[in-house]
Structure formats: C-alpha cells, structure tokens
Amino acid sequence: MDQYNRILQQRNGFRTPDVNDLTKIVKDSVPEEFRTDLVPHQLQAAAEKNPLDCRHHHHVHDTATPNSPPITTQRTTQRLHRVEIPSRKAINITPTDPDAVAQRRRFLAKLAELHGPKVSVVNEVDQSSPSLRFQFVNNSILGKGVSKAPDEVMIGCNCRKDNGRNIGCEYLACNCLHDSANNPNGSKVFPYSAAKKNTGCLRDFYLESRHHIYECNDNCNCDMNCKNRNVQHGRRVELEIFKTQNRGWGLRCPVNLRKGDFIDTYRGEILTVQEANERGDKRSADEGNYFMNFDKFTEAKAIPKSEFMYSFPDKVEWHAKKVLDNDWHIYRDPDGEEMWLNPEYIDYLYVCDGMHVGGPTRFMNHSCDPNCRLFTVSYNHSDENLYDLAFFTLEEIPAGTELTFDYKDEDDRSIITYDQALEVERRDGYMPQKCLCGAPECRRYFFN
C-alpha cells in the first residue's frame, strides 16, 4: 500500500486517484518490454500480480479522512475499468526499401477508392504490404450468369416518415417485418436498437441467433433515416489492416466498438456455383479459401440416417448411387450416427469470391472464440439468392483488438484431433487447416 498511499497524498492531502495515477501503478508492475504495447489481458495480469486490483475502492474509502469528499465504490470502479481498456497507439514500421515504399504507396492508393471512414495499413512486424493483386470495391461485382431479382418485385412498407419520434417504421404497420423471425414472446422485432446509448446496434435477439435481417428498401415510404436502415448506409467506423505475428494480415478498429456495432460487408465477385468450383479446383491449399456461399435459404444438406430411412425409404438406391459416384461422402455426427444426403436439398446458386476483389473484411482472420459474426441482410424480400453479408460485433471490443469470426459458424465446438484430420486427408485428398487462433476453446483444425 505504500506506493498507493504516496499517490493519494500528492498535492494536498487525500484525493481520488485519477486515470493517470492508476495507469502508472498498473504499468509499474509490467516488464519494461511490454509497456509500449499494453493490451487489456496484460493489464489484467499485472493487476492480479499487484496488490492493487479491482477491489481497491474499499481501501480508498477506508483511508479517507473525515473531511475528505466521499469516494463511492461505483465511481472508482469506473475509473479502474477505463484503465483496463486503454486506446492502443500502433507503432508503424515505415518502409525504407524502395520496392517496399512503392508497394505501400500503390496499396494505399487502392485503399483510397473505398467510401466511408479511413482504412489504414499498419505493420509493426516488417516492411511488407498486402498483395497488390487485391482490388478494393464498394459493391460486389456480379459475374457471368448471375442476376438479381428485378426491382419491380421489391415490396416496400407504407410507414409514415414521422412515425416513432421521426425515426421511421413501427412494429404494427411495417411490412418489412413480415418475414422477420419472431422473438420468444411471439412478436416481431426490428433488428436494430433505437435507444440512445446503442443506436443502430444489432439487438441481442439477433446476435444470439443466425436470423436473417430484413431492412427497408427504396420502395418503402419511410425515409433514409429510418431505424430499419443500417447496413445499406455502408461502413461508419475506421479500420486498420495490420500485420499479425503468425497469421498474415488481420483487421482491427482503432476505436472502441459497442456490442452489436456494424463493421462492414463481405464483398467480392458473385459467381455461379459451377464457376466457383472451377476456380477452387485450380487454387492450391496455400492460397486460402475466400468463398462465401449464398445458402441461407437452402434446406439442410445432411440428415441422420434414421431420419432418411423414415422419411425417404424409396430413396435408398438413389443415395447409394450418389455415394458410389463420389457425389456424397457419408460421415458421422458427434453422437456417431451416419449423416446421409437430404433428397430435398436444393443447392444454392451463387458464391461470393473475395480472394482478389472485395473490401477490408477480406482480411479478417478465423477464431474459435470470435468477437464478430457474419449475418445475412436483405432489402428485396423476394430475392432469396442474393443479399448482403454483414459483420456485427458480438461483444464490446476495445480499440486495437483484432476482429475475428468463426469461418464455420457452427454450434459444434468439438475438437478435431490430428488423427481425425489425417482421416479426412485420406478420404478427401486434403488436410484440414491447422488453427492458429490461440483461443482456449480452439478446435485445433478446421475444414477450409
């Protein structure tokens, strides 16, 4: 307590320690080599080693003099919380090699084509820059054989522009809620909050599910300030494409993000499934997989064998031929039951390829414990083949924290062992990718 009391007794008697005081105390317990790059988990570890932790507001209150102003538990806790998630100032390595300088300049010129707040490049590892083979676009590009539903079939709502404190649509009147999911109470829920503290944030009901989001559109009577318009307005946060230590390039935000904040969409070339398969066959495993399937409205592709035998007993020979022709590989679910191909499955039509064309979210890495999730967003309710792919935060994210999502986005968190990965390689001809996310719940491998 000596160090703590010395700070309290500075200047004129006892006083409530401010953020700088507390930051100094926590920093003093961190080794010198870490002090230029403090992140929340390092500060937390330092606080656990230091006698001063989140309970110190009790000591402050105990040592106050009768004439001192009251020091409330709530106020001191808030101050300590602000110390634990400081804004992070990147230490960028400026290229000096002529080729590296030229590449960085050309990549920044590509970034300048993006609409919205600034997107920067930060490299604290070496002088390299992301590949120049990547082209930034503000909207996805429709490839050959890809078409969206005509605007004539896009139905809008008849809500008054001055509804609900002039923030647009209301529950009882908005046709755009017709296809939305019901909440546990059986009611329709607008996807975005209109509360002052988290305006525009995706509601928990959606964050905790994978429900499709329906926004208002150009045929709606409400105006562009309607609370049911968010993703269509585009990105509204600054982003940094940064070099990681062991996972190539990643993405982060230089400011704190709220739970439910919209980050940006995943964009690229929209291809037919046939063209996507042809491209995938030509790419090596080292090139990575940047395909996103537009399969939100398809039926489950695999069903348990018991369900198949009950519902489709006349399709057993059909299924055997699919397996014989290598159109389907039987596998087992976590309970050990064989999974067969669903005869009612209708394949999706389109795939988004973000390898060479897209937006900043193309640089988001995988995590088995992600802080973001990809949601599907429609404006034309009649078009189930094309829609936006939008990233939202699942939690409050401090500035400078890498933005990640689960490439598989499945509830199954089973660990994939090395032997299981080898079995997949023997069966399908490729080795599942080793996961480097470092999360405690890491699945070790994932199918790319």
Side-chain angles (χ1 to χ4, degrees), residues 36-328:
T36 59
D37 193 23
L38 286 175
V39 290
H41 71 270
Q42 291 171 329
L43 286 173
Q44 181 179 355
E48 291 172 354
K49 294 179 181 179
N50 194 294
L52 297 175
D53 60 11
C54 61
R55 294 166 293 183
H56 290 162
H57 50 262
H58 298 303
H59 297 299
V60 174
H61 184 74
D62 292 343
T63 56
T65 63
N67 297 326
S68 301
I71 304 173
T72 64
T73 297
Q74 180 182 9
R75 181 179 180 184
T76 312
T77 303
Q78 289 174 344
R79 289 176 180 269
L80 285 167
H81 179 69
R82 297 208 322 256
V83 172
E84 290 176 356
I85 51 172
S87 295
R88 184 183 184 281
K89 183 65 175 177
I91 305 174
N92 200 10
I93 297 177
T94 303
T96 55
D97 178 78
D99 291 339
V101 171
Q103 182 171 347
R104 179 67 60 87
R105 185 181 298 115
R106 291 172 63 189
F107 188 82
L108 291 175
K110 289 175 175 287
L111 271 179
E113 299 174 6
L114 289 172
H115 299 163
K118 180 181 179 181
V119 180
S120 56
V121 177
V122 177
N123 191 338
E124 303 160 284
V125 179
D126 52 38
Q127 296 189 39
S128 66
S129 296
S131 173
L132 293 175
R133 296 178 61 193
F134 187 78
Q135 180 63 46
F136 287 100
V137 293
N138 292 293
N139 297 288
S140 291
I141 299 173
L142 301 186
K144 184 179 179 180
V146 178
S147 60
K148 63 179 183 178
D151 292 341
E152 289 75 15
V153 300
M154 185 164 60
I155 300 174
C157 66
N158 297 317
C159 297
R160 289 166 34 201
K161 293 179 174 58
D162 59 350
N163 274 352
R165 297 168 297 163
N166 296 313
I167 54 177
C169 301
E170 288 296 337
Y171 292 102
L172 298 179
C174 188
N175 293 332
C176 293
L177 282 180
H178 182 268
D179 296 319
S180 298
N182 292 331
N183 67 9
N185 297 325
S187 303
K188 299 291 185 181
V189 179
F190 278 113
Y192 310 116
S193 172
K196 185 176 180 180
K197 67 177 181 178
N198 58 352
T199 302
C201 291
L202 194 63
R203 295 179 185 272
D204 287 348
F205 170 65
Y206 281 86
L207 287 176
E208 296 166 1
S209 71
R210 295 175 179 84
H211 293 307
H212 189 71
I213 298 171
Y214 292 96
E215 290 194 3
C216 290
N217 56 59
D218 291 341
N219 289 341
C220 290
N221 191 53
C222 58
D223 61 22
M224 295 305 291
N225 293 324
C226 171
K227 63 188 175 188
N228 198 36
R229 300 175 186 262
N230 189 351
V231 174
Q232 61 190 269
H233 290 316
R235 177 176 54 85
R236 291 183 294 280
V237 295
E238 292 187 20
L239 294 174
E240 290 179 354
I241 300 169
F242 76 105
K243 186 71 173 287
T244 69
Q245 292 290 341
N246 64 342
R247 298 197 294 163
W249 294 91
L251 191 71
R252 64 191 181 196
C253 182
V255 298
N256 295 336
L257 294 171
R258 302 169 298 175
K259 180 181 180 181
D261 263 333
F262 167 56
I263 302 299
D264 201 355
T265 57
Y266 187 88
R267 303 187 288 277
E269 300 172 86
I270 310 301
L271 313 173
T272 61
V273 172
Q274 179 181 357
E275 184 174 354
N277 288 335
E278 291 174 355
R279 289 191 181 187
D281 290 340
K282 297 176 182 177
R283 291 176 184 169
S284 66
D286 294 337
E287 291 181 288
N289 183 354
Y290 295 94
F291 292 128
M292 291 282 189
N293 301 331
F294 288 89
D295 57 359
K296 181 66 177 181
F297 297 100
T298 59
E299 296 291 335
K301 190 170 186 176
I303 58 176
K305 178 183 177 181
S306 57
E307 181 180 339
F308 186 103
M309 301 300 290
Y310 178 82
S311 302
F312 311 103
D314 58 331
K315 293 286 188 179
V316 174
E317 291 186 7
W318 168 86
H319 189 273
K321 188 175 186 305
K322 287 288 186 182
V323 175
L324 186 63
D325 294 341
N326 287 322
D327 291 332
W328 181 253

Side-chain angles (χ1 to χ4, degrees), residues 414-423 431-432 443-445:
S414 302
I415 292 176
I416 301 173
T417 65
Y418 179 68
D419 290 340
Q420 290 173 323
L422 287 178
E423 176 60 30
M431 184 73 171
R443 298 194 290 266
R444 300 183 188 175
Y445 292 88

